[in-house]
Amino acid sequence: MAVIPKFVGERIKRREDPRLITGTGMYVDDVRLPGMLSAVVLRSPHAHAKINSIDLSKARALKGVVCVLSGDDLRDKVGPVPCVAPADHVPYHPVLAQGKVRFVGEGVAVAVASSPYIAQDALDLIDVDYDPLDAVVDPEKALEPGAPVLHEEFGNNSVTFASVPNPAVDEAMRKADKIIKARLVNQRLAPIPMEPRGAVARWDGGYKQLTVWSSTQIPHLLRSQLAEMLKVGENRIRVIAPEVGGGFGCKLNVYAEEALVAHLSMTLGKPVKWIERRRENFAGTTHGRDQITYLEVAALKDGTVTAVKAHFVCDMGAYLQLLTPAIPGFSGLMMTGCYKIPALSFDQQMVFTNKMSTDAYRGAGRPEACYIAERVMDMVAAEFGLDPADVRRKNFIPKEAFPAPTAGGLVYDSGDYELSLNKALEIVGYQKVRAEQEAARKQGRYIGIGIASYVEICGIGPSALLPPKLKGGGWESATIRMEPDCKVTVLTGVSPHGQGQETTFAQIVADELGIDIDDVNVVHGDTAVVQYGIGTFGSRGTTVGGPALMMSVGKLQEKMKKIASTMMEVPPDQLIFTNRTVALASDPSKSIPLQQVVDAAYGYKQPIPGVEPGLDATSFYEPQNCTFPFGTHVAVVEVDPETGVVKFLRYVAVDDCGRILSPLLVEGQVHGGIAQGIAQALYEEVVYDESGQLLTATLMDYAVPKAHMLPRYELSATVTPSPVNVLGVKGVGEAGTIGSTPCVVSAVMDALKPFGIRHIDMPLKPEKVWRAIRDAQQKG
Amino acid sequence: MFPASFEYHRASSVKEALAMLQQYGEDGKILAGGHSLIPMMKLRLAQPAHLVDIGGIRQLASIREEGGKVIIGGLVTHHAVERSDVVRAKLGMLSECAAVIGDTQVRNRGTIGGSLAHADPAADYPAAVLALDGEIKIEGTGGSRVVKADDFFIDLMTTAVQPGEVLTEVAFAPVASGAGFTYLKHRQPASGFAMVGVAALLTLDKKGNCDRVRVGITGLGAKPFRAKAVEAALLGKAPAPAIAAAAAHAADGIDPLSDIHASADFRAELARVYTRRALETAAARAKA
Ligand SMILES: Cc1cc2nc3c(=O)[nH]c(=O)nc-3n(C[C@H](O)[C@H](O)[C@H](O)COP(=O)(O)OP(=O)(O)OC[C@H]3O[C@@H](n4cnc5c(N)ncnc54)[C@H](O)[C@@H]3O)c2cc1C
């Protein structure tokens, strides 16, 4: 019999890919049910307007139209769109606008018809009488007296003001050699999953059972929220997240349309489908970032940073989605980055504007934090004429200091930041590249070298760190079931949508049970099948879902060992699982086939004292701390001074996500992450004009980078296991996004150093770079 | 994206297409590759009641040589232009241009007739067709006429093609041997269309002076144009010293477009820089 190899640590191809690339995966839009109706939502063309009246009569009269509703028809019928994060002002957020619209794209009415074409025709027949109001899109202007107020009941546009003061900061400022000030902007971004959102609902009146297929990252949390919005028991709702074509945080949410299709199906008695169009996705799916930071940095001549003080203005948009006001907190807490900056204080003013809500987007608060920390290091280097690598070394938390408490009140689990910096610089050939840069400058070519050392926070737990009103916590669940034929089913509470846990979890289980990877089936994303779970976001899938799985694997092993021990007449602790057998650890040739143990558990013809029949185990894992992946990215770019175009020459990324279970998947996550981070640095920006019109509402205007706009990645890793969990993993879903943005900005600024340019706000589009150079030349 | 309802008709000859267009009048629209029209229909920015698909008229899909000219049918795809041996040998700039339109899918569906008739101000072909002095054949129920590229582009998305007419072919005189040329574009980062695109072609006389210069520019203004001031500034001169000064005229007299991707200022600067670079490449490739 062939020996079954080990899988963890091997470059295994994703097991989910064959069905995805052959078109046999099932997405929400592939759900086709008998009698299914289509819903299409009419959206506000105004950023801010009073609704005087809505005439639905013509739309209702159109042939093929089943029903047309506006916000008023849903009053008291469907609860508001929830926000579970604390804020001083949480506005009522109806599923369809009532009396007023507050951003372009807000739902105003819904038409349901036998086809989406007819439903769309019906929308054209709806007559809405609006009184346009002044809109405010700039969060700083929204705070000024006299600014248009979005939610009159609050009297102004403040969502919350949160402050984390620290008197030590003022002390450090007094003693500093220099106080460096800056205003940094993390522009608004659109997450742009390849698959937009979508939902299908089917109410089965006989069974009193609601099934909702939704493109979501959080099937169970969605079920809990839908139960509240619809006043249906959670035991009567089944949420299925089928194939989900990317989320990046924007599907870590509960949206109006999900409740809307459910309500429609319950009232019409037929399945109802709503599929988001790309334009709606731009206008009505949560955005990310949109933070302005005013910084004061206390620094000593030798490059030591002694304190950071920050004032944030955070644009929340018009309403608060599930976690909207919780995101900026991470930017504040993680702002000291990899550095032993002793004093930190910050305050955050969160603001309503006439725009779509912001919420989690890949990195959620940490890209902003890392951008701030890394700009600080570069500014200090520039101020004192020091090498940016040396300034980082000077300030790094040393590896001996872990677990390391931070000025933000967190405890970093493990790290070796200097190792990662040194490795990245070695790969890029730092001294050589610096020499090339010097030589190029003499020829009038502008090469820049950018460095970003990042640390971020994943697998957020313990549960007390999550918003009190969130139905779930920071834990995760897993069930493992050894089926009678010796094949294994894993039910995980995480909801992978590109992360690849069908592969990683199968690798883990196969190794632990000595079986083949093909013997393991990982099931997720169906609340009727899987025990309550939290879902996938914040790089928690393997970091929190993995340890939960390990707990269940342990329980199953224990039971199987007990059974085998009676069959083999050896103590259970001397047994191991290998090659589809249970074997004696000291002499694996003494073994019995795993199948015999399974038969004993299921057949149970000979009762085993103290052992119940069957073979499954469920666990809920509560993490005791978060994990803190880190790394260093180095970019070498060349700026064309005539056009402002930035060209990549090199891109080196050294990431440390703790123990690497699946190298290929880790690289994939890093690749995509870097692409999205570079997108923020150079290309992407959600643009509203002053009246609140969305100018980037299509992919012809919103610049998601294509392959030719990205560098060739040179990836490497260091491995510093996390002591927080048994797997030693830290998470890698967002790392690439976090390290790359400041790295690229740093490189461009380094290239522009001869012009005396120190800062340009992102995205560093050719025109901005060109203008900065021209202005500098005119001054100089 | 759900277009308004429409009726679909497939024409098997130009004559049939013209008859259909006459029948449906204002409600009819030609469908070629669909890569400009269908996106607009999906957004309901265009709502033609009748689509007349000319995709089946095979004689419009060929490239042939006739009377010393290279004739490209209106239905020839960007991909076919890019790969055609004849076009590569005799109109190298046009295949260079076709190769940088959109992506593979777009090039496999989009047609030269559709691109020219649609006249998106950021489309690539128009710059090359202007620089190559293309002649565009338009057929209507009353017969056919030929319009020179210089006279073809009228305004933003407006050309000499009238409603009810079909652009059937574009004819070009082969590029003189020894001519140097290139098409250089600055891509709008989201759409990939030309933020500015410059088609430059020049030939040198025995002394090495420019005796023919053609510069077509797209993306800068509401319509593509020939940069005649640039051409004039270079004519009769040795390229190397004169190109920089000549290229400085690239945006002369043009009211540049301005949008979230590039202001008018920056577009004009790009036009000057890309014109200089395109002319430098063309000069380097030209043989006296
Ligand atoms: C994603 C994407 C990227 C693109 N990128 C680029 C780019 O980088 N550069 C670029 O130049 N273009 C680009 N395009 C546009 C592409 O080249 C189109 O194919 C082209 O503009 C139109 O050609 P078509 O055959 O698809 O025309 P259609 O869409 O079928 O028609 C366009 C218009 O022209 C009319 N028409 C078509 N054929 C004729 C004819 N023979 N006679 C009279 N009228 C006619 C139609 O009635 C319609 O009004 C892109 C398109 C897409 C979808």
Side-chain angles (χ1 to χ4, degrees):
Chain A
M1 197 176 76
V3 175
I4 295 171
K6 291 288 178 197
F7 298 97
V8 169
E10 297 300 316
R11 297 180 70 82
I12 310 269
K13 285 191 186 168
R14 276 169 33 110
R15 304 166 87 234
E16 31 287 83
D17 284 342
R19 68 171 187 264
L20 297 180
I21 59 184
T22 56
T24 41
M26 197 189 78
Y27 294 86
V28 173
D29 202 15
D30 298 317
V31 175
R32 306 228 157 102
L33 305 170
M36 190 169 75
L37 301 171
S38 288
V40 180
V41 176
L42 180 71
R43 299 190 179 272
S44 169
H46 298 289
H48 202 187
K50 194 169 159 281
I51 300 174
N52 293 324
S53 62
I54 304 182
D55 182 356
L56 304 173
S57 56
K58 275 185 259 157
R60 283 176 172 156
L62 188 71
K63 189 162 172 274
V65 171
V66 176
C67 114
V68 186
L69 301 173
S70 71
D72 283 338
D73 300 314
L74 297 171
R75 265 182 215 277
D76 308 322
K77 296 208 173 106
V78 182
V81 180
C83 169
V84 297
D88 293 343
H89 294 158
V90 180
Y92 179 75
H93 184 180
V95 290
L96 290 175
Q98 292 175 3
K100 200 175 159 182
V101 288
R102 296 181 175 85
F103 67 97
V104 166
E106 181 169 2
V108 172
V110 63
V112 185
S114 50
S115 86
Y117 297 88
I118 296 172
Q120 182 71 40
D121 289 345
L123 296 192
D124 291 348
L125 299 174
I126 297 177
D127 216 351
V128 187
D129 180 18
Y130 292 105
D131 258 350
L133 302 168
D134 285 340
V136 62
V137 297
D138 176 333
E140 294 185 287
K141 287 194 183 142
L143 293 167
E144 288 171 6
V149 174
L150 273 85
H151 302 279
E152 293 81 359
E153 63 274 30
F154 306 138
N156 59 41
N157 293 318
S158 173
V159 174
T160 279
F161 180 80
S163 165
V164 183
N166 181 354
V169 167
D170 301 325
E171 178 65 22
M173 293 282 169
R174 273 195 295 279
K175 292 189 179 152
D177 289 327
K178 178 88 193 174
I179 296 174
I180 300 168
K181 295 189 181 180
R183 179 184 188 270
L184 300 177
V185 178
N186 269 282
Q187 79 273 28
R188 182 175 275 249
L189 301 174
I192 313 293
M194 191 91 89
E195 180 208 23
R197 293 188 294 117
V200 174
R202 178 181 64 197
W203 171 249
D204 192 321
Y207 289 99
K208 294 199 172 25
Q209 181 78 28
L210 176 69
T211 306
V212 176
W213 289 261
S214 177
S215 186
T216 182
Q217 301 173 223
I218 46 166
H220 281 96
L221 293 174
L222 174 60
R223 187 187 76 183
S224 295
Q225 296 297 340
L226 284 177
E228 249 180 48
M229 295 171 84
L230 302 165
K231 301 195 174 54
V232 176
E234 285 206 50
N235 59 345
R236 303 248 165 240
I237 305 180
R238 173 183 187 184
V239 173
I240 300 173
E243 221 66 86
V244 173
F248 309 113
C250 75
K251 294 173 184 171
L252 157 58
N253 227 309
V254 174
Y255 286 94
E257 295 86 355
E258 291 167 318
L260 204 51
V261 287
H263 171 78
L264 288 166
S265 178
M266 290 174 73
T267 49
L268 299 172
K270 293 212 166 141
V272 178
K273 176 191 273 187
W274 169 80
I275 298 294
E276 186 180 55
R277 278 81 56 86
R278 184 58 71 188
R279 262 178 181 258
E280 296 181 285
N281 181 259
F282 273 109
T285 288
T286 54
H287 295 152
R289 322 278 191 261
D290 213 345
Q291 296 180 7
I292 302 167
T293 312
Y294 291 90
L295 267 185
E296 284 180 51
V297 180
L300 305 180
K301 275 197 202 95
D302 67 354
T304 308
V305 177
T306 53
V308 176
K309 183 176 173 178
H311 168 60
F312 288 82
V313 179
C314 310
D315 192 334
M316 306 279 94
Y319 296 94
L320 304 179
Q321 283 279 348
L322 195 65
L323 295 165
T324 300
I327 304 304
F330 294 111
S331 311
L333 294 177
M334 292 301 292
M335 218 170 64
T336 53
C338 312
Y339 310 105
K340 52 177 192 279
I341 300 170
L344 165 72
S345 74
F346 65 92
D347 62 56
Q348 296 187 319
Q349 175 65 62
M350 306 187 204
V351 191
F352 289 115
T353 58
N354 292 108
K355 298 191 270 187
M356 179 57 200
S357 312
T358 51
D359 206 317
Y361 169 49
R362 202 169 191 173
R366 295 101 81 201
E368 296 93 318
C370 180
Y371 181 67
I372 295 167
E374 294 310 287
R375 294 308 301 139
V376 165
M377 290 300 134
D378 281 353
M379 289 186 299
V380 169
E383 187 63 43
F384 299 117
L386 302 168
D387 186 300
D390 291 339
V391 173
R392 286 173 171 82
R393 283 196 189 98
K394 177 117 218 148
N395 289 285
F396 274 150
I397 297 169
K399 71 169 185 223
E400 305 76 45
F402 292 91
T406 73
L410 300 162
V411 180
Y412 290 171
D413 58 345
S414 62
D416 189 344
Y417 304 146
E418 187 155 357
L419 178 70
S420 127
L421 174 72
N422 290 346
K423 189 160 186 183
L425 293 182
E426 188 190 311
I427 294 170
V428 82
Y430 191 53
Q431 295 313 329
K432 194 166 152 270
V433 185
R434 282 278 175 222
E436 285 165 14
Q437 174 183 43
E438 225 10 75
R441 277 184 185 158
K442 294 204 176 94
Q443 304 161 15
R445 286 175 54 213
Y446 299 90
I447 289 179
I449 305 154
I451 303 171
S453 292
Y454 73 88
V455 58
E456 61 126 340
I457 177 170
C458 294
I460 291 177
S463 295
L465 290 179
L466 282 105
K469 277 168 68 189
L470 186 75
K471 282 288 151 86
W475 50 266
E476 197 44 87
S477 69
T479 292
I480 185 164
R481 200 159 66 214
M482 179 63 88
E483 307 289 3
D485 63 353
C486 220
K487 307 280 186 201
V488 173
T489 302
V490 170
L491 309 176
T492 174
V494 301
S495 194
H497 47 281
Q499 293 80 2
Q501 270 87 12
E502 287 177 39
T503 306
T504 356
F505 284 3
Q507 286 174 273
I508 293 174
V509 169
D511 281 10
E512 292 295 323
L513 298 182
I515 56 179
D516 191 75
I517 192 167
D518 289 334
D519 294 339
V520 186
N521 184 26
V522 179
V523 177
H524 55 84
D526 183 342
T527 65
V529 176
V530 179
Q531 69 291 337
Y532 204 98
I534 307 303
T536 291
F537 52 89
S539 303
R540 69 191 304 283
T542 304
T543 320
V544 190
L549 176 60
M550 286 299 285
M551 285 168 71
S552 290
V553 167
K555 290 177 192 169
L556 187 76
Q557 283 176 327
E558 203 179 318
K559 183 166 181 179
M560 290 198 294
K561 279 182 191 175
K562 257 192 210 159
I563 299 169
S565 107
T566 62
M567 297 167 78
M568 296 169 75
E569 295 178 340
V570 289
D573 59 4
Q574 290 182 19
L575 295 173
I576 57 167
F577 296 86
T578 180
N579 234 11
R580 289 202 186 100
T581 67
V582 182
L584 201 57
S586 55
D587 179 6
S589 68
K590 298 214 170 65
S591 66
I592 53 167
L594 197 57
Q595 182 70 60
Q596 277 183 25
V597 178
V598 175
D599 288 344
Y602 278 98
Y604 212 68
K605 306 297 175 333
Q606 279 176 318
I608 309 156
V611 178
E612 292 170 19
L615 272 179
D616 70 2
T618 297
S619 310
F620 294 79
Y621 163 73
E622 165 79 354
Q624 295 310 305
N625 190 8
C626 314
T627 56
F628 297 86
F630 62 92
T632 297
H633 289 200
V634 179
V636 185
V637 304
E638 178 165 359
V639 175
D640 178 343
E642 286 188 316
T643 60
V645 170
V646 174
K647 189 173 98 188
F648 285 98
L649 303 179
R650 299 279 300 279
Y651 196 99
V652 173
V654 176
D655 294 283
D656 193 321
C657 60
R659 189 162 155 242
I660 297 172
L661 304 178
S662 209
L664 207 53
L665 274 70
V666 166
E667 284 169 25
Q669 290 294 314
V670 173
H671 274 223
I674 295 174
Q676 274 176 312
I678 289 175
Q680 173 169 16
L682 297 182
Y683 307 118
E684 294 184 13
E685 178 175 32
V686 173
V687 183
Y688 286 88
D689 72 8
E690 275 191 13
S691 69
Q693 286 303 320
L694 179 59
L695 302 182
T696 46
T698 73
L699 287 168
M700 296 300 246
D701 287 307
Y702 186 84
V704 177
K706 324 214 168 24
H708 72 88
M709 295 154 82
L710 297 166
R712 199 177 68 80
Y713 305 134
E714 298 170 57
L715 303 189
S716 186
T718 60
V719 177
T720 311
S722 172
V724 172
N725 59 66
V726 288
L727 291 169
V729 295
K730 286 184 170 235
V732 72
E734 293 149 296
T737 319
I738 293 165
S740 54
T741 307
C743 167
V744 172
V745 172
S746 170
V748 176
M749 292 309 136
D750 188 52
L752 299 178
K753 212 165 142 196
F755 296 103
I757 298 166
R758 283 212 184 161
H759 183 73
I760 306 174
D761 277 327
M762 302 181 288
L764 303 177
K765 299 201 279 190
E767 174 158 6
K768 282 197 206 168
V769 174
W770 168 77
R771 233 170 245 294
I773 294 172
R774 200 191 54 172
D775 293 350
Q777 282 170 334
Q778 281 169 359
K779 257 195 272 162
Chain B
M1 304 293 193
F2 304 109
S5 72
F6 58 85
E7 271 184 58
Y8 173 86
H9 313 273
R10 196 164 169 85
S12 54
S13 68
V14 173
K15 208 171 148 210
E16 193 185 357
L18 290 172
M20 287 173 173
L21 288 168
Q22 190 170 36
Q23 183 184 345
Y24 304 121
E26 295 218 318
D27 294 336
K29 197 124 187 83
I30 295 174
L31 175 70
H35 269 50
S36 289
L37 183 55
I38 290 177
M40 289 180 34
M41 288 172 61
K42 283 181 166 182
L43 296 173
R44 298 200 171 193
L45 294 172
Q47 303 198 6
H50 297 272
L51 278 188
V52 177
D53 186 352
I54 59 171
I57 311 176
R58 291 331 294 168
Q59 69 265 32
L60 292 186
S62 70
I63 298 172
R64 64 184 203 278
E65 289 182 272
E66 201 178 284
K69 295 205 163 162
V70 180
I71 295 168
I72 301 178
L75 265 183
V76 175
T77 62
H78 309 334
H79 173 81
V81 169
E82 176 194 347
R83 295 300 167 91
S84 152
D85 290 337
V86 176
V87 178
R88 279 186 178 173
K90 304 201 167 167
L91 301 169
M93 182 202 281
L94 199 67
S95 75
E96 231 184 83
C97 178
V100 295
I101 296 174
D103 51 38
T104 309
Q105 288 92 326
V106 172
R107 292 195 290 274
N108 277 332
R109 296 292 310 170
T111 66
I112 190 166
S115 177
L116 295 177
H118 191 65
D120 187 302
D124 292 294
Y125 265 145
V129 171
L130 282 163
L132 291 168
D133 287 323
E135 293 175 343
I136 295 133
K137 187 167 173 195
I138 301 168
E139 286 190 40
T141 39
S144 72
R145 61 207 162 90
V146 172
V147 179
K148 287 187 177 310
D150 273 342
D151 303 322
F152 181 79
F153 300 101
I154 293 171
D155 202 346
L156 189 82
M157 303 181 100
T158 313
T159 69
V161 181
Q162 299 298 314
E165 293 184 324
V166 180
L167 190 165
T168 50
E169 53 191 46
V170 192
F172 299 93
V175 166
S177 66
F181 55 79
T182 194
Y183 176 71
L184 211 58
K185 100 191 247 198
H186 183 98
R187 283 174 192 270
Q188 194 259 56
S191 71
F193 274 76
M195 202 131 95
V196 161
V198 179
L201 180 148
L202 56 81
T203 55
L204 302 176
D205 62 17
K206 292 206 184 70
K207 286 189 235 149
N209 293 330
C210 302
D211 64 0
R212 187 155 182 275
V213 187
R214 284 287 183 278
V215 179
I217 299 184
T218 186
L220 181 64
K223 63 168 188 167
F225 63 96
R226 255 180 65 195
K228 294 196 175 150
V230 178
E231 296 173 2
L234 210 49
L235 201 64
K237 302 205 179 97
I243 282 176
H249 295 292
D252 286 5
I254 301 298
D255 187 11
L257 298 171
S258 172
D259 58 25
I260 56 168
H261 302 290
S263 67
D265 268 11
F266 183 55
R267 269 203 171 72
E269 181 65 13
L270 284 179
R272 289 186 285 265
V273 172
Y274 277 79
T275 298
R276 195 196 73 227
R277 291 179 181 177
L279 284 167
E280 282 166 356
T281 303
R285 290 178 178 176
K287 291 185 197 77

